Amino acid sequence: MATIRIILKKDKTNAKGEHPIVLRLADASNKRAHFSTGFYSTEKYFDNSKNVGRFFQGRGIKAFTVERKEEDGSTKVYTNKEANDKLAELESRASAIIRKYNDDHINWGFEQFKADFVNAPKREFFITYARQIVDREYRANEQFQKALIMEDALTSFENYDAQFGRKMFQDITPKYLESYITHCKKKGNGNGTISIRLREIRHIFNLAIRDKIITPDLYPFSSGKEDGKVR
């Protein structure tokens, strides 16, 4: 059985004295290969002792930021918590790829995995695509009430997060949505209102998967199982 783990690869160092953080994949015969996560760190900031490697985080740990080279070549700054969420997302993506190989009885190799893992989804602003849907599928078909409901959902997220307009699909994780739900409840929004807004966000994700803007592993909503996603 293949095993996946995030590690700090200490045999390599960049110009800043940092080591690459990689996803280590071992196949059934325990042959191993490493794949970049885009992050670098030193041992001071990264806990490499656990089964799941992560940046130090939690009580008594002062928040810090790290840079990541994104799939589109840009550089993005993450807090240590956000970086850990991203590492979890990459692990989830890798696990989904291996699971699909097993389900389809594919005799895979590291080069095939690399092609599927590195071939990241397009990075598009969530709100840009969502407003295209409002114009293309709602207003163009005179479904003005649906357009208003969608716009209300988007405005609600903009009020919650001043940077929402810069969020990619990849940034809207289950934890992000759970934080949004908590925010809405504190503002006095009822469960029905919150559910309607999340339904619109779910719809956008479904359409983005249909249009091949993103891959299904980025879907932040639960399939009904105990999968740690938003119901």
Side-chain angles (χ1 to χ4, degrees):
M1 176 180 287
T3 58
I4 296 166
R5 185 185 171 197
I6 299 289
I7 65 168
L8 192 68
K9 202 167 188 302
K10 292 184 283 187
D11 60 343
K12 291 187 177 182
T13 309
N14 66 9
K16 297 180 180 179
E18 301 168 322
H19 309 297
I21 296 172
V22 300
L23 182 141
R24 185 179 70 193
L25 173 63
D27 65 14
S29 63
N30 206 32
K31 292 181 180 178
R32 298 179 178 184
H34 300 96
F35 304 90
S36 175
T37 67
F39 289 108
Y40 280 78
S41 183
T42 62
E43 293 180 81
K44 178 180 178 181
Y45 295 104
F46 193 81
D47 186 352
N48 208 36
S49 63
K50 299 179 181 179
N51 289 331
V52 181
R54 291 292 187 268
F55 289 97
F56 286 112
Q57 175 191 336
R59 182 175 296 179
I61 304 295
K62 187 177 180 180
F64 55 90
T65 60
V66 294
E67 292 184 346
R68 178 177 187 258
K69 186 175 181 180
E70 301 291 286
E71 287 84 352
D72 61 3
S74 65
T75 298
K76 180 178 176 180
V77 176
Y78 290 73
T79 66
N80 52 329
K81 180 180 183 300
E82 291 170 339
N84 285 337
D85 289 344
K86 184 64 181 182
L87 291 173
E89 177 195 312
L90 293 173
E91 280 184 325
S92 177
R93 184 196 303 175
S95 296
I97 292 169
I98 297 299
R99 187 164 53 249
K100 188 174 189 308
Y101 290 159
N102 293 336
D103 290 345
D104 295 344
H105 305 288
I106 295 173
N107 185 21
W108 59 275
F110 291 130
E111 287 302 315
Q112 180 172 358
F113 175 86
K114 180 180 179 181
D116 292 331
F117 183 71
V118 175
N119 185 22
K122 297 177 183 177
R123 297 192 62 80
E124 180 167 341
F125 291 132
F126 178 90
I127 200 166
T128 300
Y129 178 78
R131 291 209 159 114
Q132 288 173 359
I133 294 301
V134 170
D135 291 334
R136 186 179 77 202
E137 303 207 5
Y138 291 166
R139 291 198 177 101
N141 295 311
E142 299 185 354
Q143 296 177 324
F144 301 118
Q145 186 60 33
K146 285 187 176 182
L148 287 173
I149 293 172
M150 179 67 79
E151 286 290 358
D152 173 74
L154 297 177
T155 298
S156 174
F157 273 84
E158 288 177 312
N159 290 336
Y160 158 66
D161 179 5
Q163 297 300 313
F164 182 67
R166 304 290 298 175
K167 287 288 188 290
M168 308 287 188
F169 279 89
Q170 289 88 339
D171 298 318
I172 302 177
T173 63
K175 288 186 177 181
Y176 181 85
L177 292 176
E178 288 167 1
S179 178
Y180 165 76
I181 291 169
T182 300
H183 164 82
C184 288
K185 288 181 177 179
K186 288 181 178 178
K187 289 289 185 180
N189 298 145
N191 289 334
T193 297
I194 297 170
S195 294
I196 289 171
R197 290 169 178 167
L198 290 178
R199 181 191 66 195
E200 297 303 308
I201 302 303
R202 184 191 297 263
H203 183 56
I204 293 299
F205 267 91
N206 284 327
L207 293 179
I209 292 170
R210 180 201 69 184
D211 291 345
K212 301 188 184 304
I213 299 297
I214 60 171
T215 52
D217 60 291
L218 293 180
Y219 193 65
F221 295 95
S222 175
S223 61
K225 302 177 182 179
E226 292 297 327
D227 53 12
K229 297 186 177 183
V230 175
R231 293 183 179 273

